[in-house]
Amino acid sequence: MAPPHRLPLPQPHAEPVAVVVEALGSDVEQGLSEGEAQRRLHSHGANSISSRGGKPGWLKFLLQFDNPLLITLLVVGGVKLALGKPRDALVIWSVTVINAVIGFVQESKAESAIAALARSVQTEVEVVREGVRRRLPSQQLVPGDLVRMEAGSRVPADLRVVQSRNLHTDESALTGESLPVGKGTTAVEVEAPLAERIGMAYAGSFVTAGQGLGLVVATGDATEVGCISTSLQEQVDLTTPLTRKFGRFSRTLLKAILVVATLTFAAGVLRGRGAEEMFDGAVALAVGAIPEELPAIVTITLAIGVNRMARRRAIIRKLPAVEALGSTTVICSDKTGTLTQNRMTVQHLYGGGALVAIEDLWPANGASANVALQETLLAGLLCNDARPSSQEGLVGDPTETALLVAAHSVGIDRQDALERHPRRDAIPFESEQQFMATLHGSTRILLKGSVEAVLQRCSRQLDGAGQPQPLDRGAIEAAVAAMAARGERVLAFAIGQADPALIQLEHHHVAADLDFLGLQGMLDPPRPEAIRAVAACQAAGIRVKMITGDHLETARAIARQLGIGRPTRAAAASCSDAPGAELAAVDGRALAAFAPDAIAALVDSVDVFARVAPAQKLQLVQALQANGEVVAMTGDGVNDAPALKQADIGIAMGEGGTEVARQAADMLLTDDNFATIEAAVEEGRTVYLNLRKTLAFVLPVNGGASMTIMLSAVLGAPLPITALQVLWLNMICSLTMSIALAFEPIAPQLMQQPPRPPAQPLLTGSLVRRVLVVSLFNWIVIYGLFFWSSHRSNDLALARTMAIQGLVLAHLVYLASISQLRSALMAIPRKGWRTLGHAPAALWAIAATVLVQALFSQTPAMNNFFGTAPLTREQLLICALPMLLMLPVAWLGERLDPTTGATAPAKSSHSL
């Protein structure tokens, strides 16, 4: 890797801008040339901090043994070795090592996959090169690049500020300063601490307000973050509430197993059996009862869920979000771009007292004499940060690009307009103020924003002839209502006069005494897939709430098309199913009038919120959580970060969202599509269902084996299976077959169940009943085959082999019944053998199990090692009888615990 680049001037914060520009060989207007930028990229390397790496591989492997269950097995193996039984010790240690290797490999893959997914969401920056603004990945920045900063963006490198417009950055991660810091171009003393260097914007900080330009003075490891970072590298943490819950469950289970094993040992000795024999029995009981593979299977299942979500365009940043998605009860979604297509087109204009369709103003239909409409279109073009690009078409916010297209469609030339009215300054749009203002030429001020924000600053309006008239709020609001009723998003425009000497536009210049120009109504139709996804969420008992900054009537119209919301009380009392029934909706102004405790009742009955400020989003999330809801919240702006952090699952937009929102979120949508949220919820439910299947499969194997050994000790009977054979069962039944359940695909009708309660325990009463029933059956199989064979042949090795083979073959049927292989098998008469492809993991697990079980009983080496005997064809057929008996047992288990079956039952019609 190239060495870190350092400036000829080591203290750029203490040097005037002109000196820094000269030292970098750059230009504050033109930036670098493309050729020079490429040479510097080759020389200085990519703008990325070198990985410090995490824990070394050997330490990660050793940490796999940091589990009470595996530690117990290691100790037991040591005792066996001390007693002169190296073969037993070897097998016991082999089981622990195999589990550790599987856990190590799968966790390494999971960490690499999650880290790679996080890196795949590139941060783009706006750079000026050769005088042209362009967007490129932040990794391509080089010293001397001219970078544009705006609210919501992340500072991509160490920058010397050369232009500032109310620029504030959050440097808390670097300096510990909790409040945003104002930035300017002033040089400070060389000794000034980082927190006081107002002329510098440092990599890793966030722009919280304003705009600015900065020259890159350091990239990658040469940045302040790169120099001091030894622990700032984001490490992937695979620990989640669910894995911790499994850990507590394992410790509790271990204590119970050790108590039972001790009692078994004591009971056998009291009945006159040898201590060594009973120690073997107690070891066999402990080994058989310990589900040592569970922690690794939990992590594997979660990691598989992460990869599946990524394939469906949902990137998980924080692993606990996977399980939280499975219990989501409310999704709060923005409207624009998430529920709608984010393809704005201007449909109607209002100005000079006239409401017209945009087509009526096209040149082919004759030029309009309405000056107010022409000025409204011109204002939309000039008060605008979108721009045409030869490579990318129109670049910018979809709302602003729609304004450019509208102006162009009526014959207004952008270049000519900018030459006649050159922009001199601007107040950038921020969600809290809901407007943008620009200064043009010598005296023209233009304002664009929400109807409320613009009207409160206007005292007059232009008529069709371009003359100022008293403001007619009633007519304007009627036009707004007419546009909003069509589902259009409405922007208002105003014009003001400035002092010719004015250089910098401030908020007080646009606070009052402006002339209202007109309105532009844009349509952003709902995504067809969002309509289906909303219906799917509602069928799954998940309420969808629209929280938007758009106009109330626009929100209502789009919500009605999407199927979101419920009618008002008056409409419900008359005819709630009427297509035109008015939906219950609340705007931000009305929401502000509610007391905090009243908001909790409001969010329970209203699903559509409009003109909502970012701080109110946080209030709504808190109110929903106070009602016991598990909330997923979407956001894309700087001020959405608190709500995203507060939500149980914060969801940021990967395409249109700000870097601040992305960093606060648990999950990113790479396509900014609501349907992706529904897909992620489905995958989250699948993860939890597959974990329950694993428990339902593993615990009966351990339960049946431990019950058998315990009763043998108490009754003074020979052990039907030895400790070594129990370990073999653990490797085959509990490990080989149960891992297949982690790869189970989405179950049919899964999204027709209500969300699971977040406080639901791992072992529900229904799951415990299923485990007990199947464990009892396993015990009957083991004992039945053992005693039948031992009484007929008086050969313990043969009897034990038949008991093990019968149990394993029965569990092949149980695996098929609990997995989706059952549905695939039942569909063969209708759809043919191709249906088996729906459950490939289960098929591979069954095939592998049959192969190794054949080796277990039919090869001399395995017979000698495990104390087994070869079986005849007739004996194998007898061992297969439990497969038939398992069918009614599996059916009974599913009746006792229907939520863990191969297919999820549809909810009743009266449930949520």
Side-chain angles (χ1 to χ4, degrees):
M1 181 174 178
H5 171 75
R6 300 196 179 277
L7 268 177
L9 296 172
Q11 307 293 343
H13 63 276
E15 300 291 347
V17 170
V19 175
V20 177
V21 172
E22 183 179 357
L24 285 167
S26 188
D27 187 283
V28 294
E29 298 291 338
Q30 298 294 313
L32 297 174
S33 68
E34 192 60 43
E36 178 62 22
Q38 293 303 318
R39 282 192 292 275
R40 294 188 184 190
L41 182 63
H42 179 73
S43 173
H44 304 305
N47 177 34
S48 57
I49 297 175
S50 302
S51 174
R52 270 37 176 204
K55 299 171 185 172
W58 62 268
L59 181 57
K60 288 182 179 180
F61 177 73
L62 289 180
L63 286 175
Q64 298 298 317
F65 296 95
D66 186 20
N67 179 288
L69 302 180
L70 295 185
I71 291 173
T72 302
L73 290 179
L74 290 174
V75 172
V76 168
V79 174
K80 281 283 190 179
L81 183 64
L83 292 175
K85 296 186 177 181
R87 183 174 59 180
D88 290 13
L90 177 63
V91 174
I92 293 173
W93 286 342
S94 296
V95 170
T96 59
V97 171
I98 288 172
N99 275 281
V101 169
I102 291 174
F104 171 72
V105 171
Q106 290 299 326
E107 286 190 14
S108 298
K109 286 183 178 180
E111 290 176 354
S112 301
I114 295 171
L117 290 171
R119 291 192 299 269
S120 70
V121 183
Q122 289 189 339
T123 300
E124 289 196 336
V125 294
E126 190 167 298
V127 181
V128 178
R129 288 183 179 174
E130 298 178 348
V132 178
R133 287 192 295 172
R134 54 176 300 184
R135 297 192 68 82
L136 46 82
S138 61
Q139 291 90 336
Q140 296 181 19
L141 285 181
V142 297
D145 261 329
L146 187 62
V147 178
R148 186 170 183 266
M149 296 173 281
E150 60 184 2
S153 62
R154 185 175 188 172
V155 179
D158 285 358
L159 308 178
R160 178 63 168 93
V161 180
V162 299
Q163 188 180 107
S164 171
R165 173 72 189 180
N166 191 37
L167 183 66
H168 286 73
T169 64
D170 177 358
E171 298 178 342
S172 57
L174 188 63
T175 67
E177 174 62 52
S178 59
L179 297 176
V181 180
K183 295 295 179 179
T185 59
T186 307
V188 296
E189 295 180 356
V190 173
E191 297 81 9
L194 287 178
E196 296 177 9
R197 298 178 184 179
I198 61 173
M200 296 292 297
Y202 289 107
S205 58
F206 294 96
V207 180
T208 60
Q211 293 178 330
L213 287 174
L215 275 176
V216 176
V217 297
T219 60
D221 290 341
T223 62
E224 291 292 338
V225 168
C227 291
I228 67 173
S229 174
T230 56
S231 60
L232 289 181
Q233 295 289 315
E234 187 168 335
Q235 299 295 326
V236 177
D237 187 6
L238 296 182
T239 303
T240 76
L242 189 59
T243 58
R244 288 192 289 271
K245 193 181 289 185
F246 263 97
R248 291 192 297 270
F249 167 72
S250 297
R251 288 189 290 272
T252 302
L253 182 62
L254 177 61
K255 293 174 184 176
I257 291 170
L258 293 178
V259 168
V260 172
T262 303
L263 293 175
T264 301
F265 174 82
V269 171
L270 290 174
R271 291 184 63 89
R273 303 182 69 176
E276 184 175 344
E277 179 189 3
M278 287 315 303
F279 179 77
D280 285 343
V283 167
L285 188 152
V287 169
I290 291 176
E292 65 275 0
E293 70 286 346
L294 275 183
I297 290 176
V298 172
T299 301
I300 292 168
T301 307
L302 289 171
I304 291 169
V306 168
N307 285 322
R308 285 178 172 175
M309 290 181 190
R311 287 197 292 269
R312 300 181 75 174
R313 300 183 178 275
I315 293 181
I316 298 297
R317 295 188 67 251
K318 300 169 186 176
L319 199 58
V322 177
E323 60 198 70
L325 282 164
S327 56
T328 299
T329 59
V330 175
I331 299 175
C332 298
S333 177
D334 189 18
K335 176 181 69 66
T336 304
T338 308
L339 291 166
T340 60
Q341 297 179 25
N342 206 20
R343 292 190 302 193
M344 291 284 193
T345 55
V346 174
Q347 302 291 312
H348 292 88
L349 292 97
Y350 173 83
L355 177 61
V356 300
I358 185 69
E359 295 89 341
D360 295 338
L361 302 178
W362 288 352
N365 296 326
S368 171
N370 190 321
V371 176
L373 290 177
Q374 292 294 327
E375 287 291 335
T376 299
L377 287 162
L378 180 61
L381 183 147
L382 294 173
C383 189
N384 197 319
D385 284 332
R387 58 184 176 80
S389 168
S390 58
Q391 297 177 335
E392 304 171 72
L394 291 177
V395 177
D397 181 84
T399 299
E400 295 197 315
T401 59
L403 297 175
L404 293 186
V405 172
H408 178 75
S409 71
V410 300
I412 300 177
D413 182 80
R414 179 177 181 273
Q415 190 60 38
D416 177 67
L418 290 175
E419 289 175 0
R420 289 188 292 112
H421 309 287
R423 183 197 286 196
R424 294 168 49 203
D425 199 15
I427 299 175
F429 177 86
E430 290 180 9
S431 56
E432 289 179 338
Q433 63 194 21
Q434 295 191 339
F435 73 83
M436 171 186 179
T438 51
L439 174 65
H440 296 268
S442 58
T443 62
R444 181 184 291 243
I445 295 176
L446 295 175
L447 189 77
K448 171 191 72 184
S450 69
V451 176
E452 293 86 349
V454 172
L455 282 183
Q456 69 184 14
R457 291 167 169 78
C458 295
S459 55
R460 299 171 301 277
Q461 69 181 58
L462 293 190
D463 62 14
Q467 299 302 311
Q469 301 292 335
L471 189 68
D472 187 352
R473 282 183 171 270
I476 295 171
E477 290 172 355
V480 170
M483 291 180 178
R486 299 184 177 98
E488 295 175 14
R489 182 183 183 186
V490 184
L491 286 180
F493 299 84
I495 189 170
Q497 295 297 311
D499 187 321
L502 181 64
I503 297 176
Q504 185 166 325
L505 193 61
E506 302 289 351
H507 281 78
H508 66 269
H509 295 131
V510 294
D513 203 34
L514 301 180
D515 293 337
F516 175 78
L517 291 175
L519 309 168
Q520 295 196 47
M522 286 164 271
L523 184 65
D524 184 16
R527 293 177 182 259
E529 63 272 27
I531 297 174
R532 295 190 292 270
V534 167
C537 286
Q538 292 169 340
I542 302 171
R543 291 179 61 186
V544 180
K545 295 183 182 292
M546 178 194 292
I547 302 178
T548 177
D550 218 334
H551 193 274
L552 184 64
E553 291 305 319
T554 304
R556 267 203 185 107
I558 296 297
R560 188 176 292 110
Q561 296 177 55
L562 287 162
I564 295 175
R566 289 168 286 185
T568 60
R569 291 182 179 178
S574 59
C575 180
S576 62
D577 295 328
E582 186 177 17
L583 293 178
V586 174
D587 64 11
R589 187 174 300 175
L591 185 61
F594 281 82
D597 55 346
I599 295 178
L602 179 70
V603 295
D604 191 51
S605 58
V606 177
D607 293 334
V608 180
F609 296 86
R611 283 291 189 254
V612 174
Q616 291 176 318
K617 289 186 178 181
L618 177 60
Q619 282 184 303
L620 293 172
V621 171
Q622 291 171 331
L624 286 165
Q625 290 174 327
N627 290 344
E629 307 286 0
V630 178
V631 183
M633 177 82 187
T634 71
D636 56 8
V638 180
N639 294 315
D640 289 336
L644 292 175
K645 288 183 178 179
Q646 178 67 35
D648 298 279
I649 307 103
I651 303 171
M653 304 298 110
E655 288 184 341
T658 61
E659 192 64 26
V660 175
R662 292 182 187 180
Q663 293 296 317
D666 304 293
M667 184 173 83
L668 302 180
L669 305 183
T670 60
D671 57 357
D672 296 3
N673 191 340
F674 181 85
T676 303
I677 303 175
E678 184 263 337
V681 170
E682 189 174 46
E683 293 291 353
R685 290 188 173 193
T686 298
V687 165
Y688 195 80
L689 177 61
N690 289 349
L691 288 175
R692 282 181 60 87
K693 288 181 181 180
T694 302
L695 279 176
F697 185 83
V698 168
L699 294 183
V701 177
N702 299 93
S706 56
M707 285 170 61
T708 301
I709 295 168
M710 181 176 64
L711 290 175
S712 297
V714 172
L715 297 174
L719 292 178
I721 46 178
T722 66
L724 285 181
Q725 292 165 351
V726 168
L727 287 169
W728 176 262
L729 278 175
N730 279 2
M731 284 194 293
I732 299 306
C733 282
S734 296
L735 194 59
T736 305
M737 288 195 273
S738 60
I739 284 181
L741 295 172
F743 291 87
E744 280 279 275
I746 296 168
Q749 299 181 325
L750 183 63
M751 290 297 284
Q752 294 179 23
Q753 295 183 86
R756 67 173 173 86
Q760 184 184 74
L762 281 176
L763 284 178
T764 60
S766 61
L767 182 55
V768 169
R769 288 191 291 272
R770 175 196 279 257
V771 169
L772 290 176
V773 166
V774 181
S775 295
L776 181 61
F777 173 79
N778 291 343
W779 172 74
I780 293 172
V781 168
I782 295 172
Y783 251 107
L785 285 173
F786 174 78
F787 280 112
W788 179 86
S789 178
S790 60
H791 286 145
R792 283 178 61 91
S793 64
N794 202 28
D795 184 342
L796 281 180
L798 178 63
R800 286 168 174 162
T801 305
M802 292 189 68
I804 294 170
Q805 294 290 38
L807 180 65
V808 171
L809 290 175
H811 268 263
L812 294 181
V813 175
Y814 186 46
L815 175 65
S817 74
I818 205 171
S819 71
Q820 292 192 46
L821 181 58
R822 185 189 70 180
S823 301
L825 290 169
M826 294 175 67
I828 288 175
R830 293 181 288 108
K831 298 181 179 179
W833 292 98
R834 67 180 184 277
T835 61
L836 294 179
H838 295 161
L843 284 175
W844 280 110
I846 289 173
T849 301
V850 170
L851 176 62
V852 296
Q853 282 303 112
L855 297 174
F856 176 74
S857 65
Q858 304 305 113
T859 58
M862 298 289 275
N863 295 155
N864 291 333
F865 194 88
F866 285 100
T868 57
L871 302 181
T872 65
R873 184 179 303 174
E874 291 75 15
Q875 290 166 340
L876 284 171
L877 288 175
I878 293 171
C879 291
L881 286 177
M883 298 178 74
L884 296 176
L885 299 176
M886 175 58 87
L887 293 173
V889 173
W891 176 87
L892 178 59
E894 186 161 350
R895 299 288 77 75
L896 294 172
D897 180 37
T899 59
T900 314
T903 58
K907 70 183 191 300
S908 61
S909 59
H910 61 272
S911 61
L912 281 176

